[in-house]
Amino acid sequence: MVGRAARVGHVARRVLRTGICLGVVICVAFAAAGAQAENLPDALAKAYQTNPQLNAERARQRATDEGVPQALAGYRPQIVASLTAGLQAVRNLLPDNTVQSANLKPWTIGVTVTQTLFNGFKTANSVRVAELQVSSGREALRNVGQGVLLDAVTVYTNVLANQSLVSAQRSNVAFLRETLGITQKRLNAGDVTPTDTAQAEARLNRGLADLNAAEVALAISQATYTQVIGNAPTQLNLAETVDRYLPRSRDDAIGLAFREHPAVMAAAFDVDVASTSIRVAESSLMPTITMQGSVSRSKQSDPTLGTFGTDQASIAGQLNQPIYDGGMAASQTRQAKEISAQSRLVLDQVRNQARTAAVGAWVANEGAKVAVSASESEVRAATVALQGVQREAAGGQRTTVDVLNSQQDLILAKARLIGAQRDRVIASYTLLSAIGRLDVKTLGLNTPDYLPEVHYHQVRDAWHGLRTPSGQ
């Protein structure tokens, strides 16, 4: 019995040495690849530059900018040129019963200039609405940027965690495969029963299944990484938290979310848009004053054949006061008021959502800290337990199956630690996003910040031109 226990202890020590050697090899390989490794800030910078979702949102914002020059066009004169030409046959019967006939080729060319002097402040309010829509769009763009950066953090840490899990499962499979080989030799020598071999074989197959699942998860996370970041992942450095940028208390987090979260700010601008739109609708009930000037020249356009050509120039003012339009303007005004009331309710809803998100992110971040600490303690305790089981096996008090169970507990503890460390990083970035500060400037990323106001100022006062500022 003592000899069998000694052999069990020898097997346990040999298997442990195999796992340790494999772990050292993996660490050395990671260290050798460290020079070419990619870190999280670099991945975030790439996503900020190349992510299709974010670039599409930037294009949408540039299109929104064009609403301002369109509204400003109401202040500017409208100039229309016209040209008319054709053939005309004329036959005039004169009082003395003589007939006068001719084949004319009439043509008229003219220019008309129309300037709106007053339209019930519709143009001014329309410009204000367009400017508020630009401000709301910028906050929406900032919110999408936060989402893309958070997605980038998530895919980065998922790949990193899955790579670690694959390495751990490969080490576990090597451990189990060698254990099965030794157990089969001992079975042939008559030291163990077929039950021990079956248990070792079952544990190896479970390890192979776990390894396959980890490899599948890694492949999926790598594909998602390519989608979000823009390139396939290489060797990744460990990701760090952003605790230095986070608020110190839950109340601070809630206050920042109320004041600075882009979704809240966008909803506040939408309230201003809806309120100003009421005045735009009301302007349809007010008088409109326009001034129109025109010049024209016509040739062979007189069917009486009394003149050969005519030159005209005119200037005239016009006042239009709507009296009744079938109730259209009144309905539009009522509709605008209801939309304004809706936008205020949406603002309250968004604020409540921001508060909930801030509280949830704060609690999740604090919980992630506890989870990491607990998982680290679990790994340390499982390591000590494995060593104790090995010593007891060497003394004949434990079997090979006990050693395998203890090793499995250690592998599971390490997997939980990997997951907790991943969740810890994601939780810190999620909290930074919840308070509205997950951006290039706060993180200090090595990439130029996209400034939507640059395009806005390029097109705001443009009176003409079909090309965009980018040359399209």
Side-chain angles (χ1 to χ4, degrees):
M1 177 67 183
V2 175
R4 177 180 176 182
R7 285 192 294 272
V8 170
H10 174 73
V11 171
R13 288 191 296 273
R14 183 174 178 183
V15 171
L16 178 61
R17 285 196 301 269
T18 302
I20 294 176
C21 292
L22 182 58
V24 171
V25 171
I26 293 173
C27 293
V28 171
F30 281 5
Q36 293 80 27
E38 184 176 35
N39 56 36
L40 180 55
D42 291 339
L44 294 180
K46 289 180 181 178
Y48 187 78
Q49 293 170 353
T50 64
N51 185 267
Q53 178 186 2
L54 185 53
N55 285 330
E57 189 68 15
R58 290 166 179 167
R60 181 208 57 79
Q61 178 60 26
R62 291 193 295 271
T64 302
D65 291 343
E66 295 291 349
V68 176
Q70 291 171 16
L72 286 171
Y75 285 124
R76 299 165 186 160
Q78 308 296 311
I79 303 174
V80 178
S82 61
L83 173 64
T84 303
L87 298 174
Q88 185 178 14
V90 178
R91 185 176 183 274
N92 295 328
L93 180 62
L94 301 180
D96 58 358
N97 292 325
T98 61
V99 177
Q100 186 183 45
S101 61
N103 291 322
L104 305 179
K105 296 179 180 179
W107 59 268
T108 302
I109 186 171
V111 176
T112 301
V113 180
T114 304
Q115 175 64 59
T116 300
L117 302 180
F118 180 75
N119 60 358
F121 306 104
K122 181 176 183 178
T123 299
N125 289 320
S126 296
V127 171
R128 179 61 178 160
V129 166
E131 291 174 340
L132 291 170
Q133 288 173 338
V134 168
S135 298
S136 175
R138 289 178 184 176
E139 295 303 322
L141 174 60
R142 192 160 67 91
N143 197 32
V144 172
Q146 285 203 144
V148 168
L149 291 178
L150 185 58
D151 289 343
V153 172
T154 301
V155 299
Y156 184 97
T157 52
N158 282 343
V159 170
L160 195 63
N162 288 332
Q163 286 176 343
S164 299
L165 285 174
V166 168
S167 298
Q169 293 298 341
R170 286 174 178 169
S171 175
N172 186 49
V173 166
F175 180 98
L176 297 173
R177 182 171 282 116
E178 182 162 347
T179 301
L180 176 60
I182 295 174
T183 305
Q184 288 174 338
K185 292 180 180 178
R186 296 181 61 211
L187 175 63
N188 296 333
D191 294 336
V192 297
T193 66
T195 302
D196 293 324
T197 305
Q199 288 175 325
E201 184 177 358
R203 194 64 60 86
L204 173 60
N205 288 323
R206 180 199 300 179
L208 290 172
D210 292 341
L211 174 59
N212 178 69
E215 290 175 338
V216 169
L218 175 59
I220 295 174
S221 63
Q222 287 173 334
T224 308
Y225 182 101
T226 304
Q227 174 187 345
V228 176
I229 305 299
N231 61 268
T234 55
Q235 180 58 45
L236 306 182
N237 284 329
L238 293 178
E240 297 182 357
T241 63
V242 286
D243 292 343
R244 59 189 180 279
Y245 303 126
L246 300 181
R248 297 183 178 180
S249 67
R250 180 188 299 188
D251 291 338
D252 289 342
I254 295 174
L256 289 171
F258 264 78
R259 294 191 306 270
E260 299 185 13
H261 196 280
V264 174
M265 299 183 69
F269 282 121
D270 289 340
V271 171
D272 294 336
V273 168
S275 299
T276 309
S277 296
I278 298 175
R279 295 193 289 273
V280 174
E282 291 173 341
S283 65
S284 299
L285 301 171
M286 302 181 70
T288 301
I289 302 174
T290 60
M291 183 70 69
Q292 187 177 83
S294 64
V295 295
S296 65
R297 167 169 288 185
S298 60
K299 295 294 184 180
Q300 301 185 38
S301 60
D302 185 4
T304 66
L305 304 179
T307 60
F308 179 75
T310 303
D311 292 333
Q312 291 184 341
S314 67
I315 184 170
Q318 185 176 15
L319 170 64
N320 292 324
Q321 173 61 57
I323 297 177
Y324 183 69
D325 63 350
M328 174 66 74
S331 177
Q332 291 174 340
T333 301
R334 296 194 304 269
Q335 183 184 49
K337 290 180 179 180
E338 294 295 347
I339 293 176
S340 177
Q342 177 197 13
S343 64
R344 296 181 185 278
L345 295 174
V346 170
L347 175 59
D348 292 338
Q349 178 184 2
V350 172
R351 283 174 173 168
N352 289 333
Q353 291 173 344
R355 180 184 183 279
T356 302
V359 172
W362 173 270
V363 173
N365 189 52
E366 295 300 310
K369 297 177 183 178
V370 175
V372 170
S373 178
S375 297
E376 291 174 343
S377 298
E378 181 185 8
V379 169
R380 287 193 297 267
T383 302
V384 173
L386 176 59
Q387 295 172 349
V389 170
Q390 290 170 337
R391 287 192 297 268
E392 292 173 359
Q397 299 176 352
R398 296 280 186 171
T399 65
T400 302
V401 174
D402 294 328
V403 176
L404 290 174
N405 288 337
S406 185
Q407 170 66 13
Q408 184 68 17
D409 290 340
L410 178 59
I411 289 295
L412 294 176
K414 288 181 178 180
R416 282 189 285 270
L417 176 59
I418 292 171
Q421 290 171 337
R422 175 199 59 198
D423 295 342
R424 173 77 176 88
V425 175
I426 295 176
S428 68
Y429 277 89
T430 301
L431 178 55
L432 190 62
S433 174
I435 63 175
R437 293 187 176 181
L438 182 55
D439 51 43
V440 170
K441 184 177 180 181
T442 301
L443 298 177
L445 300 181
N446 186 25
T447 180
D449 194 1
Y450 181 81
L451 303 175
E453 57 268 21
V454 173
H455 178 269
Y456 171 79
H457 290 297
Q458 288 174 335
V459 302
R460 186 184 191 279
D461 296 315
W463 284 50
H464 60 84
L466 301 180
R467 288 188 176 273
T468 64
S470 63
Q472 297 181 356

